[in-house]
Amino acid sequence: QSLNEEYLLKIKDAKEKGFNGACEVDGGINDITILKAKEKGATRFVSTSFLFSSENPQLAFQNLTEK
């Protein structure tokens, strides 16, 4: 599943309108797209495919949490 950047714009819009709850992105999250999602205001990330398709899921997870 790829990241739908349209949803990131919706998150950004909600944050600009004062929404301060958690915003989750489910789909397309990897070590690159997580930065885009965070920049737009997302606070929770589902990255199952990225982690379990990695040769080393633990290292991939650590990489994401350091972003």
Side-chain angles (χ1 to χ4, degrees), residues 5-41:
E5 301 223 9
E6 182 179 319
Y7 294 130
L8 298 183
L9 296 176
K10 290 181 179 186
I11 291 172
K12 181 182 177 197
D13 185 50
K15 294 291 185 170
E16 287 174 349
K17 291 179 179 175
F19 179 74
N20 64 359
C23 290
E24 181 175 291
V25 177
D26 184 353
I29 294 296
N30 58 41
D31 56 338
I32 296 168
T33 58
I34 195 169
L35 296 174
K36 292 179 184 180
K38 287 177 93 172
E39 179 182 286
K40 299 297 186 205

Side-chain angles (χ1 to χ4, degrees), residues 43-58:
T43 54
R44 295 182 183 175
F45 312 92
V46 179
S47 57
T48 307
S49 295
F50 174 72
L51 294 176
F52 292 112
S53 66
S54 170
E55 288 185 27
N56 185 335
Q58 181 61 40

